[in-house]
Amino acid sequence: MNRFYFGSNKAALFFAMALLPSGIVYSQVKKDTVTKEKKIEEVVVIGYGTQRKEAVTGSVATVKGDALREVPSSNITQALQGRTAGVDITQTSTKPGAAMQIRIRGTRSLTGDNNPLIVLDGIPFVGSLGDISSSDIKSIDILKDASATAIYGSRGANGVILVTTNRGSKGQKPRFTYNTFTGVQTLFSKYPMMDGPKFAQLRAYAIPAGNTTPLYSNGADESNSTNTDWQDLYYKPAMMTSHDIGVSGGTEGGNYNVGLSYFKQNALIPLQSYERFALRTAIDQQVGKIFRFGFTTNTNYSISEGNGVNPGAVLGYSPIANPYNPDGSFKRVMNTAGGIDQTWIYTRKTLESLNDKYVDETKSFASYNNLYGEANLPLTGLKYRLNIGLDYRTSNSGNYAGVGVFNTNPLGPSSAGRGNNQTYHWVLENLLTYDRTFGKHKVNAVGLYSAEGNRYTSSYMSAKNVPADFFQYYNLGQSPQADITVRPEDQIYWQTGLLSAMGRVMYTYDNKYMLTATLRADGSSRLAPGNKWHTYPALSLGWNVTNESFMQNIKVLNLFKLRAGWGQTSNQAVNPYSTLGALTVTPYNFGTTNSTGVYVSQAPNPNLGWEYSKTQNYGVDFGLFKNRLTGSVEYYKTHTYDLLTQKNLPPSTAIGSIVSNVAETENKGFEVSLNGIIFDNPDGFTWEAGVNFYTNRNKILSLASGTTRDVNNLWFVGHNINSLYDYQYVGLWQAGDPYQGILEPGTAADVVGSIKVLYTGGYNPDGTPVRAIGPDDRQIFDTAPKYQGGFNMRFAYKNFELSTVGAFQHGGILISSIYGSASYLNRLTGRGNNVDVDYWTEDNTDAYFPRPGRHLSGDNPKYSSTLAMFDASYLKLRTITLGYNVDKDFLKDLKITGLRIYFTVTNPVVLFSPYHKFSGMDPEPNSYGNENQAVSGYPSRQLIIGTNNPSTRNYLMGLNLTF
């Protein structure tokens, strides 16, 4: 299976890795301990406080806001990609404004939430990183191991992302900033579909065995002389723009930071866009010598248009179909495949001409607010702080399609739907902090008591036969009552609460020996009585070897610190009210009387409890050559047990399943981060470089009732959570192949040229197979990469700078559904357009793809799901930025502090990828596994390449102005 192997191209990846950088550079010199403390200025946010980087004992990674702003984007998670070892950030959609998936050190839970906790300015955040403008961010600190995350208890089970926003400084004069960029998005690559001549040739060759005519003939709107590029009629370069204005300053007693931002992104496909307005304010005020108060508010409003539009249907249109009427206007529908298929025609012009006849939009408003009060208590070093978080999110969505829109019947009824949801979140935290230094002893102790509540409501209704287009979805009550649908399952309400207490002590002796001990207890309303509370311990140790007397003469080594940590976390991964079981509403009738009833679909479980994780972490931090080379190496192992899954019940119970704590998983891996200053001349040439590299070995250790496999959910003991279960492609059947009649029953005329898969059965004494290939021959495929990482480089010469950010991955399986059976784009029958592939013919027997029209299973070639698997390796540049800092002497007369002009290209080039080489497409996923396909073929947790928006290459021009 030649698409699966990296081959000699490994050298390209390792060569690139040898050059690279990321992260933070220490500034430590070899003198006494006090001098070292003054020189080390790097401070890390660790949750409920800060700590010098040199004293950190847990696994914490920091990315500064300036580094994030090197990647202009609508979502800061795009700027985080490739920056930090152990943090896997993957796009789930290529639509404007789409959220990204974040996994810190792998996936732990089978059915629960695996997303990390986001903490904004000290308060748990119910929004997404996409709600925060990159211009607002001072730093992002990522807590990865249990000894670091234990302070957040169950909320931090999947890692914690601490976002610290910019604030004014004490005594700072008012400063005005303006950051902007604008540019054009272009198509990275089209989907690799056949053109007219290739499709006509395929259709003519797709002749069933024993027949003389093709499976499908030309329809009324098709002609072999026509060559229509439907993607050209659909895609169009689109604009993207961002503006951010900020004012900050301070007095001796307080500071402020106020900002306003606007972002707009159109899509390459018609009618789709994302627009966001955001307002933020941060104020801190000292009152006397004892009290300090402040608040932070982040408010945003966004509009997302056309989310229901995607190119899936367009890709399948026949390229020999003519979309135009004789007068040059577009046809409404077209007939193809001998009249079997009649299709409403999607093009940019037909969609844009719909006006009030079509709308699909989501309008969202969110306000995130954090108020605090702080008091210095009479005991030196003792401080009390009260944090109050008040958040509100609401989203209103609506869709409408007028009479005949998207329908081959011009009189097809209009339809509309409207939904809304609200999230109410509050948190109250009482913090007592003691921070003192006694000679060589440093002690920082934190005590916390907190309460948190969440309330969520959601509803949706739909209607048909809306009386007029201008009603759209705004007044569904005007439709006939019989055409209005309100389904019980679309009306949702839940409320949860969490009570917590936490204590943490950080102790340092002589800046050599460090200890951090944490104990946290959580009580969750989601769980059953008797199992609501759990206490989490965590302990980590550090030894700064370079501060020992025996290291003073080793000048080349500026930092050498050993770290070790252990801790437990847990996950309240169960949905609210799961302890009560579930009822399902169903219609039924007594004779001619219709009614509605309910039945028990999930049994209650009064013993439902937490999912637990125990983590070990071992790390080494180092700095060499006056810290020109710095980095860290870490190893971790996480054992997660009592995982919540559906456990099947005996048929005699008449209830299908019960949610129970029954499964186990494991994640372990290595992480390496290197940072280098290769040349450092502020008045001449500077070159900084860095790389991060990490592995994650994820596997399931056990499942419910001692079973080793759950085929329905694609879970297998000993394999990773995102495994596949399918046949293994080994080639195509050729004329004269032995045992074809036994292994793949059928005539040679039908089978030769079709897909051959691995046979795993036995053989008779005479060497013949004992059976035909069947379901027992399916294999388990682990899809996870062997390793992955990212890199960045920065070159500067006087006022010019050139920077680049990239990422790499080796191994694993990429699922591209356009080549498999789920998308109906590789049927090789000639019914609809086909992916441009090299298929078997009598004159091309070495092809990878099967013979058209033969040995079918339904609408696809038999075993064609195996064609969707590709080697997931890649090496690519995410951004290249060329910037110029206008000379300060020139700006001085204009009263301008700084002016930087830059040009950025995002997603510029793929340096290596078997999938890109094969298809020309971006090798990163763009869809969840259960979407953007003709039929569902994969679980939602699996990320795939489907018929979503195509990837883009963006050309942006921007400036950063300060005065």
Side-chain angles (χ1 to χ4, degrees), residues 391-405:
D391 304 320
Y392 172 73
R393 288 171 55 93
T394 183
S395 176
N396 294 283
S397 61
N399 59 83
Y400 171 73
V403 174
V405 174

Side-chain angles (χ1 to χ4, degrees), residues 614-750:
K614 291 182 179 179
T615 297
Q616 306 168 47
N617 190 84
Y618 308 95
V620 178
D621 301 325
F622 57 86
L624 300 166
F625 315 118
K626 297 182 180 180
N627 288 310
R628 296 289 289 270
L629 175 65
T630 62
S632 64
V633 179
E634 296 192 69
Y635 170 78
Y636 66 89
K637 182 178 180 180
T638 301
H639 176 213
T640 306
Y641 55 98
D642 283 352
L643 288 173
L644 293 158
T645 61
Q646 295 281 349
K647 180 179 179 181
N648 293 329
L649 296 176
S652 59
T653 64
I655 303 172
S657 63
I658 184 173
V659 177
S660 299
N661 300 91
V662 289
E664 295 179 80
T665 62
E666 179 185 84
N667 286 274
K668 59 183 179 181
F670 287 94
E671 298 171 357
V672 179
S673 296
L674 297 174
N675 311 281
I677 303 176
I678 302 170
F679 295 102
D680 187 16
N681 182 359
D683 299 321
F685 179 67
T686 300
W687 180 8
E688 300 173 357
V691 63
N692 66 78
F693 163 95
Y694 59 97
T695 66
N696 177 262
R697 299 290 179 263
N698 166 267
K699 66 178 179 180
I700 298 172
L701 300 181
S702 67
L703 290 169
S705 305
T707 60
T708 59
R709 54 178 56 195
D710 181 342
V711 175
N712 289 334
N713 288 305
L714 297 181
W715 292 327
F716 305 94
V717 172
H719 298 271
N720 65 55
I721 291 174
N722 289 327
S723 294
L724 295 176
Y725 190 55
D726 205 345
Y727 297 93
Q728 182 175 329
Y729 176 102
V730 296
L732 301 178
W733 285 102
Q734 305 292 345
D737 278 356
Y739 313 131
Q740 174 260 302
I742 301 174
L743 293 173
E744 194 61 49
T747 65
D750 184 51

Side-chain angles (χ1 to χ4, degrees), residues 562-642:
L562 303 176
R563 295 181 282 110
W566 174 89
Q568 186 188 69
T569 58
S570 68
N571 191 353
Q572 46 175 332
V574 64
N575 291 328
Y577 314 126
S578 291
T579 57
L580 305 178
L583 299 175
T584 297
V585 178
T586 184
Y588 69 98
N589 65 286
F590 288 110
T592 59
T593 302
N594 296 321
S595 186
T596 302
V598 295
Y599 65 91
V600 178
S601 55
Q602 181 176 294
N605 185 350
N607 299 312
L608 209 58
W610 299 87
E611 293 184 350
Y612 300 107
S613 290
K614 291 182 179 179
T615 297
Q616 306 168 47
N617 190 84
Y618 308 95
V620 178
D621 301 325
F622 57 86
L624 300 166
F625 315 118
K626 297 182 180 180
N627 288 310
R628 296 289 289 270
L629 175 65
T630 62
S632 64
V633 179
E634 296 192 69
Y635 170 78
Y636 66 89
K637 182 178 180 180
T638 301
H639 176 213
T640 306
Y641 55 98
D642 283 352

